[in-house]
Amino acid sequence: MQLLESLFHYNFLQNAVLAALLASIACGLTGAYVVSRRMVFLSGGISHASFGGIGLAFFLGIHPPLGALVFGVASAMLIQYLSDRQDVRNDSAIGILWSAGMALGIVFIYLTPGYVPNLMTYLFGNILTTSPADLWLLGLSAVLAVLAFIVFYPLVLAVAFDQGYARVRRLPAGAVNYLLMALVALTIVTSIRVTGIILVISFLTLPQAIAAIFTRRLSGLMLWSVALSAAGSIGGILLSYTLNLPSGAVIIFTFALMFILVRLTWWAIRAWARRAEN
Amino acid sequence: MLVRLNHVSTGYGSHLVLKGIDLEIAQGDFIGVIGPNGGGKTTLLRLILGSLQPWAGNLERAPELKTRGGYRIGYLPQDPGLDPRFPVTAEDVVRTGLVRGNGLSSWRRGGARALAALERTGMREARGASFGELSGGQRQKVLLARAIADQPLLLVLDEPDTFTDQRFEKDLYTLLQELNQQMAILMVSHDLGMISSHVKTIACVNEGLHYHRSNIISREMMEAYECPIDIITHGHLPHRVLDTH
């Protein structure tokens, strides 16, 4: 009861819940795409490469999320370009961008005179300090993700499932790849304030791993992921507020707990069904 | 005439694969394509599908083969390397074979046509099943349904009988005979026994292309094109004669 009262009372808690909801929509949808196409490592690369942009923004004295956005989208485009050319191993390219981006960020932050505030926020996220500007950016990626996956769903499915066949059928596979890569980068970068660079991957993979039990289709995976992600992240925020623990970490613990519970239940049901059959 | 190749040469990079080949595919054709590995069988298919352009010579397609943004050619690729864990049902796989433009309107209209295609390949019952959980033969039937869902005039198959069992092969050839009533078929295969007892004509590809309007593989064909042929008989003789060629 006290929790609900605080929720109505404190603006920062309302912002946090709204941020969790928007991040769940954006990450739930794009994460389903990322997991289906086995692009999880790539998403980690984009997320870490964007730290270079955050460092540079601190150094130049501009808004850090802006730097992250430029670096994140640019590295995503570069990875897509290199994987189309096929003369560089895709995973090597990701590894290089991953570490070079982080290194660049560290150097720039070292060069920035004085104390760098909020650095930990970018690494580990803090949903309780979400600003209205963060919310607008998150809202933008959520709206773009919803629009992209509604309007282009059949095209996305065709290209994601069988790119070779899509090309033979003259579907714009290249454009779809680049467009969705940009969307993945935008989603990651705008979610960093909520989850942090290191933990953003969990929003793109954990709800999807739970959702996979409930559905056989990409669209189902998307919807279930959004719902499970919203439930887990809002639950996590309230739990972290009650226990006075870091929000990002508690949200991910909540996801992991949901994953274990759902899996165990699933196995139990299957084992029971098999015994009933025999 | 659906497709006509006139002295066509093509390849990859600087590597010439097909040299001055002639081939004509007409309505009602059922052509088996044989030839050694690396001889250019798949290259020939890619040329016909339009994903590879001729370097020299002339490739004509009938006007009725052209459609908005593509050709009315169905395609069953050889081992497309699909991820068995991709979240997609058999029905949705077939529906991706109908996508045009951004796909939204074709998707809404696609349900009935996808089910009709699945019905034809005997996979309607499995429409809601996860694609990755199907057997090799069942997956081929779903991919064949995807290939015919858009009602092509020409169906192109690249070794449809690899990775499958004998029962599937029998089903497949029966099905192809039926489909041949509505569409021309061009099929690459290793299984010459099967090919020469089901197709109407045979083409042998080995850099060049040897084609005569018969399904008898001649000695001339074997010698000129070094085709790995192990059967040459028909009629009352035992169906498979191994020839140490």
Side-chain angles (χ1 to χ4, degrees):
Chain A
M1 272 291 86
Q2 210 186 343
L3 193 67
L4 272 181
E5 235 168 74
S6 326
L7 190 58
F8 282 113
H9 207 260
Y10 296 118
N11 205 9
F12 75 94
L13 261 188
Q14 291 163 5
N15 278 355
V17 168
L18 187 57
L21 201 62
L22 293 173
S24 294
I25 295 170
C27 292
L29 296 175
T30 46
Y33 172 79
V34 162
V35 168
S36 303
R37 287 200 88 171
R38 299 182 180 250
M39 289 162 47
V40 174
F41 181 56
L42 185 150
S43 309
I46 294 173
S47 163
H48 285 77
S50 72
F51 189 65
I54 290 171
L56 184 63
F58 271 124
F59 181 69
L60 298 175
I62 55 177
H63 194 46
L66 208 63
L69 188 67
V70 172
F71 265 60
V73 173
S75 51
M77 297 295 104
L78 191 61
I79 291 168
Q80 183 62 50
Y81 174 73
L82 289 174
S83 73
D84 282 350
R85 282 176 47 103
Q86 290 178 338
D87 52 357
V88 181
R89 280 181 61 106
N90 201 3
D91 51 349
S92 303
I94 294 166
I96 292 165
L97 281 166
W98 181 310
S99 48
M102 284 303 275
L104 205 64
I106 292 166
V107 168
F108 277 124
I109 284 169
Y110 180 80
L111 290 175
T112 307
Y115 170 70
V116 174
N118 308 330
L119 188 59
M120 291 295 274
T121 304
Y122 287 103
L123 288 176
F124 297 108
N126 187 355
I127 203 165
L128 298 177
T129 60
T130 312
S131 69
D134 297 330
L135 285 176
W136 278 111
L137 276 174
L138 264 177
L140 177 73
S141 25
V143 167
L144 285 178
V146 169
L147 278 180
F149 287 120
I150 288 180
V151 176
F152 298 112
Y153 180 76
L155 199 53
V156 168
L157 178 67
V159 173
F161 173 64
D162 191 348
Q163 186 164 191
Y165 192 77
R167 284 185 197 276
V168 167
R169 276 186 59 82
R170 304 291 166 94
L171 298 178
V176 169
N177 286 338
Y178 276 99
L179 201 78
L180 287 182
M181 197 66 118
L183 183 66
V184 169
L186 182 72
T187 302
I188 289 173
V189 170
T190 52
S191 305
I192 279 177
R193 271 300 302 238
V194 174
T195 61
I197 284 172
I198 298 165
L199 302 181
V200 69
I201 283 297
S202 65
F203 265 78
L204 295 170
T205 53
L206 264 170
Q208 288 75 11
I210 309 167
I213 289 175
F214 301 110
T215 177
R216 292 189 177 118
R217 318 168 91 129
L218 182 60
S219 52
L221 193 66
M222 288 175 167
L223 296 177
W224 273 103
S225 299
V226 171
L228 290 163
S229 178
S233 54
I234 293 171
I237 289 170
L238 301 180
L239 205 62
S240 83
Y241 178 76
T242 316
L243 302 175
N244 197 20
L245 285 169
S247 58
V250 175
I251 289 172
I252 286 148
F253 271 124
T254 314
F255 282 158
L257 207 66
M258 286 165 70
F259 177 76
I260 292 167
L261 282 177
V262 170
R263 275 279 161 191
L264 284 179
T265 315
W266 170 245
W267 282 328
I269 290 172
R270 279 220 306 204
W272 182 78
R274 219 170 296 150
R275 185 175 293 183
E277 256 173 47
N278 292 339
Chain B
M1 189 278 296
L2 289 171
V3 179
R4 182 183 290 132
L5 285 80
N6 207 346
H7 292 301
V8 170
S9 300
T10 193
Y12 308 95
S14 58
H15 179 55
L16 184 72
V17 179
L18 291 176
K19 205 158 75 184
I21 59 167
D22 297 294
L23 179 69
E24 195 179 301
I25 306 168
Q27 281 94 340
D29 272 357
F30 191 162
I31 307 174
V33 179
I34 58 171
N37 284 330
K41 301 188 295 282
T42 298
T43 307
L44 175 69
L45 298 194
R46 297 191 56 189
L47 203 55
I48 290 164
L49 287 165
S51 46
L52 204 63
Q53 298 306 314
W55 290 355
N58 213 346
L59 197 162
E60 281 174 72
R61 287 189 186 84
E64 67 263 30
L65 211 54
K66 289 178 186 140
T67 174
R68 189 160 66 95
Y71 303 113
R72 292 184 65 183
I73 304 179
Y75 175 46
L76 182 68
Q78 180 193 20
D79 180 27
L82 299 172
D83 181 356
R85 308 209 68 170
F86 192 95
V88 67
T89 59
E91 184 187 339
D92 281 358
V93 168
V94 178
R95 288 174 82 165
T96 62
L98 293 159
V99 173
R100 295 207 179 284
N102 72 9
L104 218 52
S105 54
S106 56
W107 190 262
R108 271 193 234 107
R109 283 184 275 109
R113 292 173 72 183
L115 285 183
L118 280 167
E119 177 93 62
R120 291 207 74 173
T121 64
M123 289 300 290
R124 195 187 160 109
E125 296 298 306
R127 63 185 182 274
S130 171
F131 181 74
E133 284 164 13
L134 300 174
S135 72
Q138 288 175 318
R139 277 187 218 175
Q140 283 294 72
K141 284 183 191 169
V142 171
L143 293 180
L144 184 61
R146 176 179 72 170
I148 60 168
D150 211 8
Q151 291 159 338
L153 298 176
L154 171 63
L155 177 63
V156 171
L157 307 106
D158 197 352
E159 304 201 12
D161 40 15
T162 15
F163 314 115
T164 52
D165 52 51
Q166 298 233 308
R167 223 198 95 204
F168 166 76
E169 275 177 37
K170 219 177 130 245
D171 287 359
L172 175 73
Y173 289 108
T174 316
L175 186 59
L176 290 180
Q177 302 287 348
E178 285 168 28
L179 289 173
N180 193 215
Q181 314 282 320
Q182 281 106 46
M183 58 192 85
I185 298 178
L186 184 78
M187 175 175 74
V188 169
S189 179
H190 271 323
D191 192 338
L192 294 157
M194 275 298 187
I195 231 183
S196 71
S197 45
H198 290 94
V199 305
K200 293 178 183 162
T201 55
I202 289 178
C204 179
V205 183
N206 188 12
E207 198 177 291
L209 184 142
H210 184 91
Y211 183 53
H212 61 165
R213 295 209 148 261
S214 137
N215 66 345
I216 299 182
I217 303 163
S218 64
R219 184 158 289 277
E220 171 208 2
M221 209 163 177
M222 291 159 57
E223 279 161 9
Y225 292 89
E226 293 168 24
C227 281
I229 286 161
D230 63 354
I231 62 112
I232 13 172
T233 69
H234 279 275
H236 304 300
L237 287 160
H239 225 83
R240 193 179 261 267
V241 176
L242 297 176
D243 190 274
T244 46
H245 163 61

